Amino acid sequence: QVQLVESGGDSVQPGGSLTLSCTASGFTFSNFYMSWYRQAPGKEREFVATISSGGRITDYASSVKGRFTISRDNAKNTGALQMNSLQPEDTAVYYCKAGVGLSTTYWGNGTQVTVSS
């Protein structure tokens, strides 16, 4: 069955770094773009970053540009989000999304990132 599983969430101090991973199974990952979203308590889910199916094209939310890096390894059916210079406002549940076309999207269940001193 189709699965997207996030991992790597943790509690870190401000200024710290984390790398989130997203492992895909049950579909042809290399045909799908991949994105990361996050949802903080009491807020709507928001876009963080996206990468094209082949990995050449990336885009970021302005709030994370220059601090976060999205990547993928299609041979391993995995994606990643490297997060540096983390701040308390980055605290959220982070979700992986894979999509193709306009109507086919898959979501993971999320991984918690907490940034606190």
Side-chain angles (χ1 to χ4, degrees):
Q1 71 277 23
V2 171
Q3 275 193 312
L4 281 175
V5 179
E6 302 94 337
S7 60
D10 205 345
S11 294
V12 296
Q13 293 188 340
S17 298
L18 277 177
T19 299
L20 305 183
S21 296
C22 176
T23 301
S25 60
F27 63 101
T28 306
F29 180 67
S30 60
N31 289 345
F32 285 64
Y33 68 82
M34 187 193 73
S35 302
W36 288 93
Y37 284 71
R38 66 186 181 186
Q39 188 166 18
K43 294 188 177 182
E44 293 188 354
R45 192 173 297 189
E46 65 173 4
F47 167 78
V48 175
T50 193
I51 187 167
S52 60
S53 58
R56 289 190 190 182
I57 301 171
T58 60
D59 195 18
Y60 298 89
S62 57
S63 59
V64 307
K65 195 171 292 186
R67 300 189 297 125
F68 291 11
T69 302
I70 190 171
S71 62
R72 65 189 297 161
D73 185 339
N74 285 341
K76 296 182 179 179
N77 288 340
T78 60
L81 184 68
Q82 171 69 43
M83 307 186 293
N84 298 325
S85 302
L86 284 162
Q87 299 302 317
E89 52 265 35
D90 295 315
T91 295
V93 177
Y94 282 72
Y95 297 90
C96 177
K97 171 188 170 184
V100 63
L102 297 178
S103 59
T104 303
T105 58
Y106 304 130
W107 288 89
N109 289 329
T111 186
Q112 176 70 48
V113 172
T114 302
V115 185
S116 173
S117 55

